[in-house]
């Protein structure tokens, strides 16, 4: 038994110390993001407030599941959008730190751990990739571009995790012997990431919605 995790059957469960450490790490990441990437100010309380609100909304909407797959992964009510917005508001540094913090929050609320590499891919890198939206924070149509790049980043890391750690389950979902772990992971993760992404892109491309989100960015800055 470890101080932070304990092995239960084929996966690890967080201990009280593990939960506590992750919560502290999550809060530290948000604070560091605001301190290092707060613009002209050394520490932006406005960035902290808006980032915290976006993370909270992402967490709430992630629980509103339109469709849930048996091995994990769900089509949610625009949960990825709220994390992408942080990068759209505050750039790459602020976006990445907040997105990684959100991944840790997801780990706290819904942990499934079989190894450290799997934990990193599924929670830190996959959710953290949503912060790549910050690349286009100052670009024309930056929200749409950033959303696409962030979601593709999440898809890539989710695919890697599915291929490396869960590809052996491919036979359970198809009788086609030629379906290998790569195709299995692409289809499985695409089944919940792509539909939500398409619906969200359509929504944020509607002119009134796009203008409203642009005004929210002005307030966030």
């Amino acid at each position: 038994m470890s101080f932070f995790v304990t092995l239960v059957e084929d996966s690890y469960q967080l201990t009280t110390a593990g939960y506590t450490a992750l919560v502290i790490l999550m809060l530290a990441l948000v604070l560091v993001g605001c301190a290092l990437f707060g613009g002209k100010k050394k520490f932006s309380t406005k960035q902290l407030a808006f980032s915290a609100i976006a993370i909270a909304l992402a967490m709430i909407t992630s629980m509103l599941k339109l469709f849930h797959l048996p091995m994990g992964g769900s089509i949610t009510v625009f949960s990825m959008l709220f994390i992408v917005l942080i990068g759209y508001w505050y750039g790459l540094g602020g976006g990445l730190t907040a997105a990684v913090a959100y991944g840790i929050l997801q780990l706290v609320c819904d942990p499934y751990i079989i190894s450290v590499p799997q934990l990193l891919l599924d929670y830190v890198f996959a959710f953290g990739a949503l912060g790549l939206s910050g690349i286009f924070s100052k670009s024309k149509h930056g929200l749409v571009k950033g959303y696409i790049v962030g979601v593709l980043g999440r898809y890539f890391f989710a695919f890697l995790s599915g291929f490396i750690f869960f590809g052996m389950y491919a036979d359970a979902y198809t009788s086609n012997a030629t379906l290998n772990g790569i195709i299995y992971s692409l289809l499985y993760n695409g089944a919940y990431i792509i539909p939500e992404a398409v619906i969200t892109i359509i929504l944020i491309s509607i002119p009134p919605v796009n203008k409203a989100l642009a005004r929210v960015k002005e307030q966030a800055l």
Side-chain angles (χ1 to χ4, degrees):
M1 179 182 293
S2 169
F3 185 66
F4 295 105
V5 296
T6 181
L7 181 62
V8 178
E9 295 182 353
D10 60 345
S11 65
Y12 291 93
Q13 300 295 320
L14 293 168
T15 63
T16 300
Y19 281 111
T20 303
L22 288 175
V23 170
I24 293 172
L25 178 59
M26 178 198 68
L27 294 174
L29 279 170
V30 176
L31 292 172
V32 167
C34 294
L36 295 180
F37 309 106
K40 296 180 180 179
K41 299 180 180 180
K42 291 184 178 179
F43 184 86
S44 174
T45 53
K46 179 179 282 190
Q47 180 175 337
L48 176 61
F50 271 81
S51 297
I53 291 170
I55 291 173
L57 289 173
M59 197 67 221
I60 292 170
T61 52
S62 73
M63 298 177 183
L64 303 176
K65 300 174 182 180
L66 303 177
F67 181 74
H68 182 71
L69 294 178
M71 295 295 296
S74 306
I75 300 175
T76 66
V77 184
F78 309 116
S79 65
M80 292 188 291
L81 173 61
F82 291 105
I83 301 303
V84 166
L85 281 172
I86 301 174
Y88 173 60
W89 295 335
Y90 301 115
L92 183 61
L96 286 175
T97 51
V100 171
Y102 173 69
I104 294 172
L105 181 59
Q106 283 285 347
L107 175 59
V108 169
C109 294
D110 187 21
Y112 182 74
I113 308 167
I114 59 174
S115 67
V116 172
Q118 174 266 329
L119 180 155
L120 292 174
L121 284 176
D122 277 340
Y123 294 97
V124 177
F125 295 145
F127 287 109
L130 295 172
L132 293 172
S133 60
I135 296 172
F136 300 99
S137 63
K138 297 181 180 179
S139 174
K140 185 178 181 181
H141 306 301
L143 179 55
V144 175
K145 293 177 183 176
Y147 185 85
I148 292 172
V149 169
V151 169
L152 286 177
R154 183 187 174 188
Y155 187 20
F156 173 73
F157 287 113
F159 155 73
L160 278 183
S161 176
F163 169 59
I164 296 171
F165 301 107
F166 305 103
M168 74 284 291
Y169 296 111
D171 292 339
Y173 289 87
T174 178
S175 59
N176 187 345
T178 63
L179 184 62
N180 55 31
I182 293 177
I183 297 176
Y184 164 76
S185 186
L186 286 172
L187 293 177
Y188 186 93
N189 290 289
Y192 66 91
I193 292 178
I194 293 176
E196 179 177 340
V198 171
I199 295 171
T200 304
I201 290 171
I202 292 173
L203 176 69
I204 63 179
S205 298
I206 298 172
V209 175
N210 192 270
K211 290 180 181 179
L213 291 173
R215 286 197 293 271
V216 172
K217 182 176 182 177
E218 291 177 1
Q219 296 175 356
L221 296 176

